[in-house]
Amino acid sequence: MAPMAVNLILGWWLVAASRAQQVPRPSLSLHPNQGVSLGDTFTLRCHLPRLAAWVWLYQEGGLSYYKGKEKEENAAEFFFVSTEREHAGRYWCQYRVSESAEVSMKSDPVELVLTDRNFPPPHISLHPEERVRTGTNVTIRCWNKDYGATFLLHKDGRSAPIQHLVPDDVGAVSFTLFGVTPADSGTYRCSYHPKNYSFLSSPLGDSVTLEVTPTPAPPGAELVSRGNLVVAVVRGCAAVLIFALGVFFVIDARSLWIGRDESLGGEGI
Ligand SMILES: *[C@@H]1O[C@H](CO)[C@@H](O)[C@H](O)[C@H]1NC(C)=O
């Protein structure tokens, strides 16, 4: 009895696996993939691993859109012009295969976070100071008393926010960078998600710049580097001396030649 049950389960699993394989999942991408502001245009592109007859785009708790496909394209694009607050949110796509009624599984979700410039940018400050030594704990404080619900810390040159925090009751957060290294040097800014709008974002606020200086080398290393310095100075002096000697000989040789030319010329006249 037991082997039969195993066979049944195995058989069911194989059928399920092959069906899932027949209609591979699409993937969804957002363009531009961040920094979309209210009123901007954006595109959601559903990448189709197989030829599809219909493609659906769903918004969580919102509208769904569909597109019939005729051409042999490997993606379906959904364009949005003049974005509104309602467009912010989480999206999925799904498709139906042309020759059958089979429907794929939904893609992984994509989140559209819209920047809404109606919200004031947050304030920022940095402690203890902008120039610190390696190993210091640095705190970046961001606040907006009226609107901020979750704060995000951004570093210039990084695409994604580096930290998220929920504020205390005065609407402020403190991001701590523990034991900073020179790699933490850079320009930092904050933004926040307003209360009740997890897919809206305030504009980025003012920046603070952190400069982390390396710790001085240990005394032993300093001795070694002093030794190196002496060697370098001696080498430099030797090079200058050799160069000066070279120049001297060239000038000397030239004056000899000129002297000879003149004496030759004198003979010619
Ligand atoms: C940094 O913070 C950690 C954790 O609070 C603490 O253990 C450490 O002593 C601090 N380091 C400095 C240099 O203040």
Side-chain angles (χ1 to χ4, degrees), residues 36-41 80-85 114-115:
V36 183
S37 292
L38 221 61
D40 287 355
T41 64
F80 294 80
V81 286
S82 189
T83 313
E84 293 168 21
R85 276 185 178 182
L114 282 176
T115 303

Side-chain angles (χ1 to χ4, degrees), residues 36-84:
V36 183
S37 292
L38 221 61
D40 287 355
T41 64
F42 72 94
T43 304
L44 281 161
R45 193 172 295 151
C46 186
H47 303 266
L48 307 163
R50 284 188 54 181
L51 201 60
W54 292 94
V55 183
W56 290 270
L57 179 73
Y58 305 98
Q59 185 187 2
E60 185 178 44
L63 293 170
S64 60
Y65 310 85
Y66 67 88
K67 253 193 153 160
K69 289 192 51 62
E70 287 156 14
K71 283 183 281 173
E72 299 201 4
E73 293 156 342
N74 55 11
E77 291 190 323
F78 297 85
F79 297 104
F80 294 80
V81 286
S82 189
T83 313
E84 293 168 21

Side-chain angles (χ1 to χ4, degrees), residues 161-240:
I162 61 169
Q163 284 189 39
H164 300 234
L165 272 183
V166 176
D168 57 22
D169 46 0
V170 294
V173 295
S174 294
F175 295 102
T176 307
L177 309 175
F178 291 102
V180 292
T181 67
D184 293 308
S185 297
T187 302
Y188 293 84
R189 298 165 207 272
C190 291
S191 67
Y192 61 87
H193 293 305
K195 291 182 182 113
N196 307 323
Y197 294 103
S198 45
F199 293 105
L200 291 184
S201 166
S202 75
L204 290 175
D206 288 341
S207 65
V208 288
T209 303
L210 177 67
E211 192 189 331
V212 184
T213 52
T215 35
E222 205 173 311
L223 270 180
V224 170
S225 73
R226 245 183 231 166
N228 284 348
L229 189 69
V230 169
V231 169
V233 167
V234 167
R235 278 190 186 153
C237 290
V240 167

Side-chain angles (χ1 to χ4, degrees), residues 68-265:
K69 289 192 51 62
E70 287 156 14
K71 283 183 281 173
E72 299 201 4
E73 293 156 342
N74 55 11
E77 291 190 323
F78 297 85
F79 297 104
F80 294 80
V81 286
S82 189
T83 313
E84 293 168 21
R85 276 185 178 182
E86 290 71 37
H87 290 129
R90 195 174 281 131
Y91 291 85
W92 293 268
C93 75
Q94 190 174 27
Y95 65 96
R96 206 189 80 195
V97 177
S98 307
E99 62 270 24
S100 69
E102 284 178 302
V103 172
S104 75
M105 287 185 24
K106 284 183 183 172
S107 66
D108 283 335
V110 159
E111 292 183 352
L112 172 65
V113 176
L114 282 176
T115 303
D116 186 340
R117 296 184 189 284
N118 295 311
F119 293 104
H123 303 281
I124 193 166
S125 68
L126 182 145
H127 309 275
E129 54 192 337
E130 298 210 326
R131 275 192 71 148
V132 296
R133 283 194 187 285
T134 296
T136 312
N137 293 340
V138 173
T139 302
I140 297 175
R141 198 166 161 80
C142 301
W143 68 98
N144 181 290
K145 164 162 84 57
D146 298 323
Y147 301 103
T150 310
F151 284 80
L152 300 96
L153 181 65
H154 307 259
K155 189 178 179 195
D156 283 13
R158 299 270 202 94
S159 56
I162 61 169
Q163 284 189 39
H164 300 234
L165 272 183
V166 176
D168 57 22
D169 46 0
V170 294
V173 295
S174 294
F175 295 102
T176 307
L177 309 175
F178 291 102
V180 292
T181 67
D184 293 308
S185 297
T187 302
Y188 293 84
R189 298 165 207 272
C190 291
S191 67
Y192 61 87
H193 293 305
K195 291 182 182 113
N196 307 323
Y197 294 103
S198 45
F199 293 105
L200 291 184
S201 166
S202 75
L204 290 175
D206 288 341
S207 65
V208 288
T209 303
L210 177 67
E211 192 189 331
V212 184
T213 52
T215 35
E222 205 173 311
L223 270 180
V224 170
S225 73
R226 245 183 231 166
N228 284 348
L229 189 69
V230 169
V231 169
V233 167
V234 167
R235 278 190 186 153
C237 290
V240 167
L241 191 69
I242 289 167
F243 180 74
L245 273 174
V247 169
F248 171 77
F249 278 121
V250 167
I251 290 171
D252 201 40
R254 267 179 62 102
S255 61
L256 268 179
W257 270 108
I258 289 163
R260 223 182 74 172
D261 282 353
E262 274 170 359
S263 61
L264 280 177

